[in-house]
Amino acid sequence: YADPDVCILNFYDDTEHRAGMGLHQDIAEDPGVIARGDPVISLSIGSSALFVLADTRDAYPNDRTRLRLDSGDVLAFGGASRVVFHGVEQIAPFFLKDGKAPDGMYPGRLNLTFRKSKT
């Protein structure tokens, strides 16, 4: 079931190659939304990212699942996985040889996350 009423935008500035977001859960929504397992849907635009999933916030690096998300990729997690710990370990630069981002874009990654917040 997906009927999002919220879109969160995160921009990861890639100019210093340190951008990321630590492991966290998306649990700020109404308890009914979380109990139903309504999905979190993420759209990536710009630089590629190393997205991570883990069972706990303190998971050792070897206990994390990593996915490369490229521009245009969509990722959805819901159901029992709705409260999985997740984050962004690294942003991969997408500069061309002349040092400029494609189409004059500012270097970095824009992530749009859609979710239901209220029951």
Side-chain angles (χ1 to χ4, degrees):
Y1 179 78
D3 184 19
D5 58 8
V6 171
C7 177
I8 298 171
L9 288 95
N10 287 307
F11 181 74
Y12 300 86
D13 185 329
D14 189 37
T15 55
E16 296 183 23
H17 312 297
R18 295 182 303 181
M21 182 180 289
L23 287 172
H24 65 281
Q25 293 175 299
D26 293 340
I27 55 173
E29 296 78 21
D30 281 351
V33 170
I34 294 174
R36 274 196 321 250
D38 288 5
V40 173
I41 303 164
S42 170
L43 170 64
S44 298
I45 301 170
S47 296
S48 298
L50 189 58
F51 185 83
V52 295
L53 301 163
D55 291 333
T56 67
R57 179 186 323 257
D58 300 323
Y60 289 106
N62 290 344
D63 295 331
R64 299 176 182 187
T65 300
R66 291 171 176 82
L67 305 166
R68 178 179 162 162
L69 297 178
D70 294 321
S71 188
D73 284 350
V74 174
L75 174 74
F77 52 95
S81 297
R82 172 61 172 78
V83 293
V84 69
F85 284 90
H86 60 281
V88 175
E89 277 190 356
Q90 183 179 359
I91 304 298
F94 67 164
F95 291 104
L96 300 177
K97 291 179 184 176
D98 64 2
K100 295 182 183 175
D103 301 321
M105 291 178 61
Y106 190 83
R109 174 178 185 258
L110 179 64
N111 177 259
L112 288 78
T113 304
F114 302 91
R115 67 186 75 181
K116 182 84 173 163
S117 66
K118 301 197 181 299
T119 51

